Amino acid sequence: MLTTQLSKGNAYDVALENFDTAADVMELNQDTREMIKYPERVLTVSVPVRMDDGRIHRFEGFRVQHSTARGPAKGGIRYHPQVSLDEVKALATWMTWKCAVVNIPFGGGKGGVTCDPKHMTQGELERMTRRYTSAILPMIGPDQDIPAPDVYTNPQTMAWIMDTFSMNKGYSVPGVVTGKPISLGGSLGRNEATGRGVFYTVESACEHLKMHLKGATVVVQGFGNAGSVAAQLFYEAGAKIIAVNDSTGCVYNRNGLNIPELIHMKGLCGHVEGFPESEAIRAEELLALECDILIPAALENMIREDNANAVKARIVAEAANGPVTPAADRILQNKGIFLIPDILCNAGGVTVSYFEWVQDEQHLFWEAQDIYNRLERVMKTSFRDVLKIHLDRKVPMRIAANMLGIGRVAEAVQIRGIYP
Ligand code: NAD
């Protein structure tokens, strides 16, 4: 419990601090800062749900549109006991800069419901999702604001949202969400897009640092959608995944874990703990393991001032959003660790979400290889763009990525001007 509380911090303070740091280096004028720093729209909703035992439980939900300057707001929906308005505002802010970094025509948004999905039945989850969707209905739509999966939401959740929205419109609107099942207009490659994007940016980083992926040692914190797909791709590339964890425990094998079997086991039992030929270690030990690549793929504020010194990786690739606090950032930097910041590293998910939205809008679907090729091009071009700012301006990778994203949003806002 103590660890959970310690690890929370306030993600929105981190988002604002990161903005200010980049804006200062860019010498961004005060008027533009005022226009782009804060969310455009914030909605808090009450979500009453009839639970299976007959009583009514009221959940609290949020949807935040941080920016629509470059296009419709875009961002996932999170179901987690620690969801708060500040967390959603932070995640929406990061979505704005992320979409701009990979140069897709979206702004930033995010949503969430404070709940404990692990202790809810499918029926309760469906009723909560449909009521939450009804509550945020005026804000979402394919040209307005397009939700997607995030922590503890999945393609089934998106199907319920799409159906609820469509029933209200009177016709099917697949483009209202991305990350849908393929049978409802989802895109091939969306489910593994975030992990695949992480892999492409790490490939680029290895090329830049003249490191070999084959034989490299990798540690993954968080073995969900983003973490497990990334682990699988590193495994296929010949890297050794020496440790992974999830919310229930950590598994370690110095000679490398068999990732396809671990994914199979997690699918069957819902946890990684007890995996054959592995040793159980503590979460703090996992972060401190000697390795080439560390991939935080769980939640915010996992690497902080109090544990950053223990990190011994050469590359930290942020599959999660906001896993490293600003104080920890400075420590990692002083240790010479190469950081691939979240708004670049995990942008593969939103990039394929964009592909999905385009396919839905034009009613024409692409082949998987086509999607992988396009994704690789976007991720590697974006990596090069950020690296160039990092090297030319001599700023850390996170500031470089923020400068790229913030600069593009600032340009859009300046050209659009203020209405009325
Ligand atoms: P998920 O629900 O599929 O997986 C989350 C994983 O983290 C689970 O395995 C869970 O057990 C584990 N976890 C939770 N608390 C933990 C803890 N304290 N220590 C270790 N592991 C813990 O979620 P996901 O979609 O993979 O998202 C993970 C991160 O990636 C989040 O920060 C999310 O915002 C970010 N992200 C996801 C996507 C996407 O497309 N799924 C896109 C961009 C960013």
Side-chain angles (χ1 to χ4, degrees):
M1 193 60 199
L2 182 65
T3 340
T4 316
Q5 279 169 0
L6 270 180
S7 71
K8 272 320 277 177
N10 186 319
Y12 192 49
D13 289 342
V14 174
L16 295 180
E17 186 175 336
N18 284 337
F19 173 85
D20 287 334
T21 309
D24 286 349
V25 180
M26 296 163 76
E27 297 178 359
L28 197 65
N29 67 59
Q30 195 54 36
D31 287 352
T32 308
R33 288 184 197 216
E34 285 293 310
M35 286 177 69
I36 68 173
K37 182 171 175 179
Y38 304 102
E40 283 174 17
R41 263 190 208 102
V42 174
L43 181 66
T44 300
V45 294
S46 223
V47 186
V49 176
R50 173 101 40 210
M51 306 303 276
D52 284 357
D53 63 7
R55 75 200 160 87
I56 288 176
H57 185 87
R58 187 194 78 94
F59 296 91
E60 194 161 55
F62 311 97
R63 185 74 195 169
V64 172
Q65 293 173 352
H66 175 264
S67 172
T68 56
R70 290 169 39 91
K74 186 86 191 78
I77 289 177
R78 179 174 293 193
Y79 289 170
H80 194 275
Q82 287 171 344
V83 163
S84 66
L85 181 55
D86 268 358
E87 181 184 59
V88 177
K89 278 160 69 177
L91 291 162
T93 308
W94 288 324
M95 284 307 296
T96 301
W97 317 137
K98 188 186 299 184
C99 290
V101 164
V102 285
N103 216 359
I104 56 179
F106 285 143
K110 203 82 183 189
V113 179
T114 316
C115 64
D116 190 356
K118 284 189 175 168
H119 294 109
M120 293 170 71
T121 63
Q122 278 293 98
E124 289 168 344
L125 282 171
E126 175 171 359
R127 292 194 289 282
M128 187 184 78
T129 301
R130 289 187 183 278
R131 182 62 187 230
Y132 167 69
T133 307
S134 306
I136 63 166
L137 209 72
M139 252 170 103
I140 60 172
D143 297 319
Q144 252 177 297
D145 181 352
I146 308 143
D150 190 70
V151 174
Y152 298 146
T153 56
N154 55 33
Q156 176 62 75
T157 325
M158 297 306 113
W160 291 326
I161 296 175
M162 178 267 190
D163 183 67
T164 307
F165 186 87
S166 300
M167 287 299 107
N168 275 271
K169 288 286 170 196
Y171 51 90
S172 288
V173 189
V176 64
V177 282
T178 58
K180 296 178 294 292
I182 303 289
S183 53
L184 291 182
S187 176
L188 294 172
R190 172 62 187 90
N191 219 25
E192 59 270 31
T194 303
R196 191 170 277 278
V198 170
F199 178 77
Y200 291 144
T201 58
V202 171
E203 264 194 332
S204 293
C206 285
E207 200 177 304
H208 166 62
L209 299 170
K210 305 200 174 10
M211 277 169 64
H212 290 292
L213 250 188
K214 200 171 163 61
T217 47
V218 182
V219 170
V220 182
Q221 180 197 50
F223 203 62
N225 174 294
S228 67
V229 172
Q232 172 73 31
L233 292 169
F234 285 111
Y235 178 86
E236 286 170 12
K240 268 198 294 188
I241 323 310
I242 58 169
V244 311
N245 74 342
D246 60 14
S247 57
T248 60
C250 311
V251 288
Y252 168 69
N253 181 336
R254 187 71 227 169
N255 299 317
L257 298 157
N258 184 322
I259 296 300
E261 281 180 17
L262 187 55
I263 290 175
H264 181 68
M265 184 185 118
K266 169 112 179 158
L268 288 178
C269 336
H271 56 79
V272 297
E273 215 175 14
F275 184 62
E277 291 179 33
S278 77
E279 191 184 315
I281 55 169
R282 286 178 296 120
E284 309 86 85
E285 291 176 281
L286 174 129
L287 283 179
L289 285 171
E290 192 115 18
C291 64
D292 294 308
I293 302 156
L294 170 64
I295 305 178
L299 295 170
E300 299 93 77
N301 299 343
M302 295 304 228
I303 303 178
R304 304 171 303 271
E305 196 167 13
D306 59 299
N307 62 4
N309 247 321
V311 174
K312 297 186 194 73
R314 291 181 66 191
I315 296 176
V316 171
E318 293 185 324
N321 285 306
V324 179
T325 66
D329 246 351
R330 291 185 277 275
I331 297 172
L332 298 187
Q333 204 192 323
N334 288 338
K335 287 168 72 93
I337 294 172
F338 187 86
L339 180 104
I340 312 176
D342 47 7
I343 59 171
L344 168 65
C345 189
N346 69 33
V350 77
T351 302
V352 177
S353 273
Y354 165 58
F355 298 160
E356 178 175 335
W357 178 78
V358 169
Q359 292 170 81
D360 287 338
E361 292 286 289
Q362 64 183 10
H363 310 282
L364 181 67
F365 290 86
W366 310 341
E367 286 172 12
Q369 197 53 51
D370 196 8
I371 287 162
Y372 300 154
N373 294 345
R374 286 173 191 262
L375 175 63
E376 182 169 5
R377 211 159 44 234
V378 169
M379 296 308 295
K380 292 193 169 171
T381 303
S382 308
F383 183 92
R384 267 198 306 277
D385 291 345
V386 173
L387 186 69
K388 183 165 177 0
I389 299 174
H390 163 69
L391 297 174
D392 288 355
R393 302 290 303 269
K394 299 189 175 33
V395 290
M397 282 291 280
R398 186 182 316 283
I399 297 181
N402 275 307
M403 286 169 71
L404 181 63
I406 291 169
R408 284 178 174 155
V409 177
E411 189 185 339
V413 162
Q414 283 158 359
I415 295 170
R416 283 178 67 154
I418 300 179
Y419 172 87

